[in-house]
C-alpha cells in the first residue's frame, strides 16, 4: 500500500490477518495537498516499531532502544513509517519494508514509537488507550526521540495511539493511530492465568500487605513472563506510596509499601492480565479487583528486656502495658508481626507447640482476649496466672501475656493488619513468609530483589486512586 506525502488521506488502514493498523488525521482539519509554491508543511516521520518472532533478544533490544531504527528489521523488530504533519498523518512506503502495511500487532511484543533516523524534531507526548479507556503505561525517553510501553499489550484488544511531536523548527505536528492485537490462541479460559487478590475487602491496619495468588505457577526461570505478570498487577492508592511486588514462590506475590501504609489510605488492586501473552504459559485471564482501606496506624512494640509494651496510635502513645514474654527455652520471636485475627476465647495446649503431655512444661488453659500474630500459635492474650511476673520477668512459653483488663483493651483496640513488634527478646527472627505476615522484616533492597523487574522499575510510586463519591444516608 504505497502512497506519496502529498496525497490527502484521512484514514489509511493496513491489515495483516486479524490485526489492523489505522492512521487517521488529527482533529480539527482535513489533510489536503499543499498548493504549488507554498511553504513546506511542518512534518516529521515516525517509526512505529513492533517486535515479531517471539520478542526481542537482549542484544537486539539494546541496539533498537539506542535509536538505531532502520528500514525493515531492527534485529527482530519490524517497523512502520508514519508521517505526522500539522494537519494529519499517513503511512509511507519504503522499499526496504516490502509491503508498507505489514505491521505485526501480536500482544506478546513490545511497542515503540520514535523519530526516523536523522530526522530533526522530538516527541512531546504519546498516549495509548485500550478499548475500555484504560491507559497503557509507557515511557518517553529524556531526549524525546523514543517512546516505549512499560506494560504488556493484551491479546484481542483495540488500542488508540495519539502522538504529539515537534518538527526541527519547533512547529507542532500530530497523528492518531489505531490498531488491534490478534486474539489469543491459548487454551480455554479455565486454563488462563488469573490472580486472586487478598486481603478481603474491608478495613485493616497499616501493616497489611496485598497478596496475589496465581491460578497457575510462573517459575523463576522465566523472568520475562514474571515481569509481564508484575506489570499487569496494578496497585493504586490515595495517598500515593512507594511500593513493589515480591515473588514469594512461583504462584504467590506480595505487594507492600516501602514503609507502613499511611493512616486512612484507600488501596485499589486490579489485574490487567486478561489477554496478556505469557510465553509458554499461555495468556492471562480476567480477575476480580480488590479495594480496602487503612484505619489509624496502631503500632504495639514490646520490649522483652523491659517487660513492657508501648502502644501508639498515629505516632502518639496511648497506653503502656506491663507484660511477660517467653522464658529461656521458649523465647518469643523477635521482629515485626501483624495481627492475623482475634479470638475472644481459645484453648491453649502445650502439645500444639511440641510440649509433651505429662511433662513439667505442659499446659492446658482456657485463654481470653487472644490476638493472634503467627499461624504457629503466638498470641497477645490475658494471662491472669502471671500477673505478679508481668513487668518484672519473662515466664511465658512464647506468647505475650498481660492482665485481663489490659488484654481486653488491646483486643478491642487492634484490628487485622495492625503492627505488633517484639524487641530484645533474644528469640529467633520472625520469618518474612510462612508463619503470618512477616514481610516487614525484610529490608527494602532485599524486598526489591524479589521482583522480576529492575529495582528502578519495581520500586514505583502507586498512581493515585481516583476519588469516588460516598453515598450518604
Amino acid at each position: 500500500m504505497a502512497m506519496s506525502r502529498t496525497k490527502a488521506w484521512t484514514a489509511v488502514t493496513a491489515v495483516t490477518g486479524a490485526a489492523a493498523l489505522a492512521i487517521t488525521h488529527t482533529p480539527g482539519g482535513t489533510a489536503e495537498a499543499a498548493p504549488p509554491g507554498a511553504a513546506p508543511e511542518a512534518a516529521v516521520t515516525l517509526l512505529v516499531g513492533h517486535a515479531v518472532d517471539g520478542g526481542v533478544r537482549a542484544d537486539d533490544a539494546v541496539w533498537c532502544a539506542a535509536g538505531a531504527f532502520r528500514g525493515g528489521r531492527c534485529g527482530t523488530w519490524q517497523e512502520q513509517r508514519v508521517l505526522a504533519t500539522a494537519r494529519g498523518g499517513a503511512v509511507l512506503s519504503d522499499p526496504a519494508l516490502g509491503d508498507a502495511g505489514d505491521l505485526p500487532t501480536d500482544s506478546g511484543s513490545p511497542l515503540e514509537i520514535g523519530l526516523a533516523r536523522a530526522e530533526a524534531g522530538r516527541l512531546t507526548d504519546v498516549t495509548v488507550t485500550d478499548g475500555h479507556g484504560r491507559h497503557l503505561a509507557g515511557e518517553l525517553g529524556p531526549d524525546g526521540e523514543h517512546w516505549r510501553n512499560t506494560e504488556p499489550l493484551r491479546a484481542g484488544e483495540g488500542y488508540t495511539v495519539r502522538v504529539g511531536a515537534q518538527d526541527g523548527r519547533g512547529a507542532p505536528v500530530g497523528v492518531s493511530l489505531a490498531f488491534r492485537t490478534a486474539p489469543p490462541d491459548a487454551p480455554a479460559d479455565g486454563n488462563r492465568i488469573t490472580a486472586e487478590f487478598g486481603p478481603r475487602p474491608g478495613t485493616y491496619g497499616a501493616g497489611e500487605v496485598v497478596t496475589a495468588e496465581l491460578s497457575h505457577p510462573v517459575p523463576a526461570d522465566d523472568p520475562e513472563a514474571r515481569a509481564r505478570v508484575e506489570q499487569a498487577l496494578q496497585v493504586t492508592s490515595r495517598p500515593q506510596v512507594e511500593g513493589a511486588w515480591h515473588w514469594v514462590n512461583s504462584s504467590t506475590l506480595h505487594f507492600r509499601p516501602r514503609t507502613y501504609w499511611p493512616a486512612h489510605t484507600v488501596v485499589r488492586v486490579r489485574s490487567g492480565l486478561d489477554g496478556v501473552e505469557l510465553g509458554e504459559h499461555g495468556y492471562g485471564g480476567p480477575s476480580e479487583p480488590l479495594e480496602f482501606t487503612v484505619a489509624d496506624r496502631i503500632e504495639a512494640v514490646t520490649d522483652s528486656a523491659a517487660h513492657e509494651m508501648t502502644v501508639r496510635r498515629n505516632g502518639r502513645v496511648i497506653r503502656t502495658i506491663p507484660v511477660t514474654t517467653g522464658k529461656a527455652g521458649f523465647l518469643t520471636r523477635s521482629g515485626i508481626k501483624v495481627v492475623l485475627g482475634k479470638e475472644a476465647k481459645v484453648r491453649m495446649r502445650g502439645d500444639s507447640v511440641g510440649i509433651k503431655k505429662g511433662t513439667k512444661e505442659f499446659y492446658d488453659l482456657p485463654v481470653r482476649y487472644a490476638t493472634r500474630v503467627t499461624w504457629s500459635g503466638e498470641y497477645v492474650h490475658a494471662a491472669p496466672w502471671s500477673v505478679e511476673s508481668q513487668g518484672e520477668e519473662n515466664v511465658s512459653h512464647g506468647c505475650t501475656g498481660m492482665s485481663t483488663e489490659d488484654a481486653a483493651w488491646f483486643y478491642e483496640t487492634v484490628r487485622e493488619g495492625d503492627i505488633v513488634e517484639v524487641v530484645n527478646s533474644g528469640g529467633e527472627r520472625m520469618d518474612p513468609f510462612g508463619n503470618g505476615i512477616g514481610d516487614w522484616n525484610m529490608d527494602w533492597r532485599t524486598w526489591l530483589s524479589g521482583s522480576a523487574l529492575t529495582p528502578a522499575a519495581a520500586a514505583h510510586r502507586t498512581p493515585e486512586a481516583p476519588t469516588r463519591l460516598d453515598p450518604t444516608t
Side-chain angles (χ1 to χ4, degrees):
M1 180 176 56
M3 59 177 295
S4 69
R5 294 190 180 209
T6 57
K7 184 162 183 176
W9 282 83
T10 58
V12 179
T13 304
V15 180
T16 57
L21 167 74
I23 312 300
T24 62
H25 66 80
T26 51
T30 302
E32 296 177 353
E41 183 181 22
V44 298
T45 303
L46 305 177
L47 302 179
V48 181
H50 208 75
V52 295
D53 301 332
V56 181
R57 298 188 302 270
D59 55 339
D60 293 331
V62 171
W63 196 73
C64 290
F69 273 114
R70 64 184 180 189
R73 295 179 182 274
C74 170
T76 55
W77 286 66
Q78 177 76 43
E79 70 183 32
Q80 173 69 66
R81 291 177 177 269
V82 177
L83 179 66
T85 76
R87 293 179 292 175
V91 176
L92 302 179
S93 63
D94 187 327
L97 286 174
D99 181 358
D102 184 16
L103 178 67
T105 53
D106 57 293
S107 62
S109 305
L111 173 67
E112 184 167 340
I113 297 171
L115 298 177
R117 183 163 48 95
E119 182 90 25
R122 61 189 297 269
L123 298 176
T124 56
D125 180 65
V126 177
T127 303
V128 183
T129 54
D130 67 15
H132 300 85
R134 298 172 296 199
H135 283 74
L136 181 75
E139 228 171 29
L140 185 64
D143 56 5
E145 289 186 359
H146 285 84
W147 178 95
R148 60 171 38 191
N149 62 315
T150 57
E151 177 186 357
L153 296 167
R154 301 177 180 89
E157 182 66 79
Y159 288 92
T160 300
V161 184
R162 293 179 175 84
V163 182
Q166 292 176 345
D167 71 358
R169 297 167 297 159
V173 297
V175 64
S176 295
L177 301 82
F179 68 91
R180 176 171 292 279
T181 54
D185 55 6
D189 285 353
N191 291 322
R192 293 191 188 178
I193 294 181
T194 59
E196 182 177 353
F197 297 121
R200 301 176 306 276
T203 302
Y204 295 87
E208 190 59 58
V209 300
V210 178
T211 62
E213 293 289 341
L214 303 180
S215 58
H216 302 290
V218 179
D221 61 5
D222 193 346
E224 184 177 350
R226 282 195 166 194
R228 292 192 176 198
V229 169
E230 270 186 69
Q231 291 171 322
L233 302 181
Q234 299 171 7
V235 181
T236 60
S237 69
R238 190 178 69 246
Q240 296 176 323
V241 299
E242 181 183 8
W245 288 102
H246 182 103
W247 287 81
V248 178
N249 54 48
S250 61
S251 57
T252 304
L253 297 89
H254 285 190
F255 180 98
R256 51 156 269 210
R258 185 169 189 166
T259 58
Y260 303 135
W261 296 103
H264 313 303
T265 299
V266 178
V267 182
R268 292 174 185 150
V269 190
R270 73 174 183 86
S271 171
L273 276 173
D274 193 13
V276 171
E277 191 272 325
L278 298 170
E280 65 181 33
H281 311 290
Y283 288 80
S287 304
E288 289 294 323
L290 165 70
E291 179 176 325
F292 68 90
T293 58
V294 177
D296 287 339
R297 180 188 287 190
I298 301 292
E299 299 173 74
V301 179
T302 296
D303 187 334
S304 290
H307 318 294
E308 185 176 82
M309 173 189 281
T310 302
V311 184
R312 292 179 173 84
R313 174 183 283 121
N314 298 328
R316 183 176 65 87
V317 175
I318 56 175
R319 198 170 183 110
T320 302
I321 302 171
V323 299
T324 184
T325 59
K327 60 186 177 181
F330 302 93
L331 298 175
T332 304
R333 290 176 186 81
S334 64
I336 303 169
K337 304 149 195 176
V338 170
V339 173
L340 301 175
K342 301 189 293 183
E343 300 168 60
K345 293 181 181 179
V346 63
R347 182 182 179 186
M348 294 187 179
R349 292 172 54 94
D351 51 7
S352 67
V353 292
I355 302 174
K356 293 183 179 180
K357 188 175 183 180
T359 63
K360 181 179 69 172
E361 296 295 343
F362 181 79
Y363 56 88
D364 187 351
L365 297 168
V367 175
R368 299 183 64 193
Y369 305 117
T371 300
R372 181 187 284 268
V373 293
T374 73
W375 295 125
S376 63
E378 184 180 329
Y379 289 84
V380 177
H381 63 78
W385 54 85
S386 64
V387 170
E388 292 183 0
S389 299
Q390 293 163 17
E392 300 292 334
E393 60 179 330
N394 295 321
V395 299
S396 85
H397 290 89
C399 290
T400 299
M402 56 185 64
S403 70
T404 301
E405 178 185 355
D406 284 333
W409 176 88
F410 186 81
Y411 183 92
E412 294 299 328
T413 300
V414 301
R415 68 177 72 233
E416 282 187 54
D418 281 335
I419 300 141
V420 179
E421 184 175 3
V422 175
V423 300
N424 300 323
S425 71
E428 65 182 52
R429 191 75 176 170
M430 175 69 175
D431 183 8
F433 311 110
N435 196 17
I437 300 176
D439 304 54
W440 302 101
N441 296 287
M442 191 176 287
D443 67 81
W444 187 238
R445 179 176 294 182
T446 305
W447 183 268
L448 292 180
S449 70
S451 167
L453 305 174
T454 63
H460 67 281
R461 287 191 65 80
T462 64
E464 186 165 352
T467 303
R468 295 180 179 176
L469 294 178
D470 295 321
T472 57
T473 56

